[in-house]
Amino acid sequence: MAGGEGTRLRPLTSNQPKPMVPIVGKPCMEHIIELLRRHGMDDIVVTVAYLPQVIRGYFGDGESLGVTLHYSVEETPLGTAGSVKHAEALLDETFVVISGDALCDFDLSDIVQKHQRSGAVATLALKSVENPLEFGVVIIDEDGRIERVLEKPSWGQVFSDTINTRVYVLEPELLKSIPTG
């Protein structure tokens, strides 16, 4: 997902989308593409909205990074679920959703394998953190099922130190329950 405008990062994002902000000499999104490739994911759909030509101009078809990139362009930003729904025609098997600005080094292969073994239609990668204020906090039951989520709570609303990392493993059938647009 690379549609974010990154208003909180201005002026770094005045002329480029948030996933293009450089980290250690290359765009954050390039680190994410390399992570996907390391885990055998080389057919990648990139959802774009804000300044899509900047991302497309830099990455092209992905060949230079050893992947194939497909672009799903939103005329108006559709949010996380809407963005993935907009790319539905390109998603015909189990897939990973990861933000192009979410610098991480998860074992994506392990997350996908656990998802497939569980038989779930959706799996969220969760993590415990000291300060959950900038994230969605999550409570899960003893079986690992989500009981409650609250996005970006205040300290008075924090009920867990477990956060949603915005890394999802999904089955295409889930997209049928998301309305178009």
Side-chain angles (χ1 to χ4, degrees):
M1 298 193 63
E5 194 171 329
T7 55
R8 290 177 293 182
L9 287 179
R10 290 208 169 122
L12 293 174
T13 55
S14 294
N15 298 313
Q16 65 185 351
K18 187 166 50 168
M20 294 302 292
V21 171
I23 298 176
V24 192
K26 57 187 165 185
C28 185
M29 187 173 142
E30 189 168 340
H31 293 282
I32 300 301
I33 290 172
E34 290 170 350
L35 173 68
L36 291 166
R37 189 188 68 233
R38 281 195 307 273
H39 289 278
M41 299 172 207
D42 57 5
D43 195 22
I44 300 170
V45 176
V46 181
T47 61
V48 291
Y50 175 66
L51 299 175
Q53 68 279 11
V54 174
I55 291 173
R56 213 178 233 169
Y58 182 88
F59 292 105
D61 63 4
E63 183 180 6
S64 65
L65 292 172
V67 299
T68 300
L69 296 180
H70 310 271
Y71 295 92
S72 176
V73 181
E74 302 165 39
E75 296 305 316
T76 58
L78 298 170
T80 301
S83 180
V84 176
K85 174 71 174 183
H86 188 68
E88 183 173 19
L90 300 167
L91 304 169
D92 59 359
E93 59 184 293
T94 301
F95 61 96
V96 173
V97 175
I98 188 167
S99 295
D101 64 343
L103 189 61
C104 62
D105 194 19
F106 291 121
D107 184 341
L108 297 176
S109 299
D110 184 56
I111 295 169
V112 170
Q113 288 169 2
K114 286 178 180 174
H115 166 81
Q116 291 173 327
R117 282 195 306 268
S118 77
V121 295
T123 298
L124 282 68
L126 306 176
K127 179 172 178 46
S128 293
V129 297
E130 284 185 34
N131 181 353
L133 292 179
E134 296 296 318
F135 306 96
V137 292
V138 180
I139 289 182
I140 56 173
D141 67 16
E142 62 275 353
D143 296 322
R145 288 191 170 84
I146 293 173
E147 290 185 340
R148 186 171 174 204
V149 177
L150 180 63
E151 286 297 324
K152 298 183 182 171
S154 66
W155 271 119
Q157 298 173 306
V158 171
F159 51 78
S160 171
D161 68 349
T162 303
I163 61 143
N164 175 4
T165 64
R166 296 174 29 217
V167 174
Y168 311 101
V169 183
L170 305 174
E171 295 300 323
E173 67 194 72
L174 178 72
L175 300 176
K176 293 179 179 123
S177 64
I178 300 171
T180 301

